[in-house]
Amino acid sequence: MGKYRTKRKSKHRGNDPIGITDDYENDHGDEIENGIPSRDECTVQTVIEQVQCITIEDKICGLQTLATAFNDKESIEILIKKKVLKMVAPLLLDPNPEIRNFTAGALRNLSACGNIEICEHIVKEDVLTPLISLIQQYGDWKPNDKKPDQENENIDTLIQAINLLWNLCESDDTAVKYFNTAQLLGVLLNYLNFNVYGMDLAIVVCQCIHTVSEDNMPASTV
């Protein structure tokens, strides 16, 4: 445990939703040198404003940007400096299921960007508390065949949340302690029934349990 692995592919990655090109610095180098905010700083500020908006659409737009626009050391350092993750974490428990889904996906993507510092920061900013609460809320949940679209979103939210938990537990021993204290193993074992929850969720649960149970006696026995 505590070892960082090779970067895994993130499901929610895509094109830059706000249209900022990679050669921004080349086009605006003089502006940056003169104290005008860089592309990354402007993007972070946009995310901050959007995730704090009242409207669902603005929140989702900010979360989409967070999921796709930050995958290098410089931009992640700005995220950390501005405490963006602390602002976003409560959205894991937002009443709107779509916002919960996008939040879990954005944080999962960040945790899989290949930078161990971001995982440590996610743990430091106590994102684990709402993350664990989110997973526990689904403890006795079973998909309703009469509402397939809604249940597909619920399953995807769980997949994103457990992927995030997996990444954090593999990168930071503190996350494993949270896992043990919250007794999440029993919750996750429920999702191994792929006939009920689907193969995708069962697979990520197996991967998470495999990582967490390494040299961890509380998670090795039920």
Side-chain angles (χ1 to χ4, degrees):
M1 294 180 298
K3 298 178 182 178
Y4 197 77
R5 65 178 176 279
T6 304
K7 173 183 174 182
R8 293 201 305 270
K9 184 177 180 181
S10 299
K11 179 177 179 180
H12 280 66
R13 290 208 179 276
N15 295 327
D16 184 349
I18 58 177
I20 299 175
T21 60
D22 290 336
D23 58 355
Y24 179 95
E25 286 86 352
N26 293 331
D27 295 337
H28 300 274
D30 292 339
E31 296 177 4
I32 295 173
E33 290 179 0
N34 291 331
I36 296 176
S38 68
R39 176 196 65 175
D40 290 333
E41 289 171 329
C42 291
T43 306
V44 168
Q45 186 58 40
T46 299
V47 169
I48 291 173
E49 293 172 359
Q50 289 177 328
V51 298
Q52 292 180 329
C53 283
I54 297 176
T55 64
I56 293 173
E57 291 78 10
D58 284 333
K59 279 187 169 69
I60 289 176
C61 186
L63 292 168
Q64 287 176 320
T65 303
L66 185 64
T68 59
F70 303 98
N71 55 10
D72 60 81
K73 183 177 180 180
E74 290 74 17
S75 61
I76 287 173
E77 286 178 350
I78 297 173
L79 281 179
I80 292 174
K81 180 180 178 181
K82 297 291 186 178
K83 297 187 177 297
V84 175
L85 301 183
K86 194 175 187 68
M87 300 177 194
V88 170
L91 297 180
L92 285 168
L93 300 175
D94 192 272
N96 185 284
E98 193 173 9
I99 290 179
R100 294 197 300 269
N101 179 258
F102 275 97
T103 304
L107 292 171
R108 178 261 180 105
N109 276 13
L110 286 172
S111 72
C113 72
N115 188 329
I116 191 171
E117 184 180 2
I118 192 66
C119 288
E120 293 173 347
H121 182 68
I122 289 173
V123 173
K124 182 179 178 181
E125 292 292 352
D126 198 25
V127 175
L128 277 164
T129 296
L131 174 63
I132 289 172
S133 295
L134 173 64
I135 295 172
Q136 289 175 329
Q137 285 181 5
Y138 285 93
D140 298 322
W141 168 79
K142 286 183 172 58
N144 185 344
D145 293 337
K146 296 181 180 179
K147 300 179 180 179
D149 291 339
Q150 177 180 326
E151 300 303 20
N152 286 340
E153 184 174 63
N154 284 328
I155 289 175
D156 187 65
T157 297
L158 270 173
I159 289 173
Q160 302 307 321
I162 294 171
N163 262 300
L164 172 59
L165 179 66
W166 173 22
N167 291 343
L168 298 180
C169 286
E170 190 161 42
S171 304
D172 194 299
D173 288 339
T174 300
V176 178
K177 295 177 182 178
Y178 272 80
F179 182 97
N180 292 339
T181 301
Q183 299 180 326
L184 286 181
L185 181 59
V187 177
L188 296 189
L189 289 175
N190 292 331
Y191 305 134
L192 294 179
N193 187 346
F194 58 85
N195 290 318
V196 175
Y197 297 101
M199 189 62 71
D200 289 342
L201 180 56
I203 288 174
V204 73
V205 166
C206 287
Q207 292 168 326
C208 182
I209 291 175
H210 174 74
T211 293
V212 174
S213 61
E214 181 183 357
D215 299 325
N216 179 23
M217 185 59 68
S220 300
T221 57
V222 181

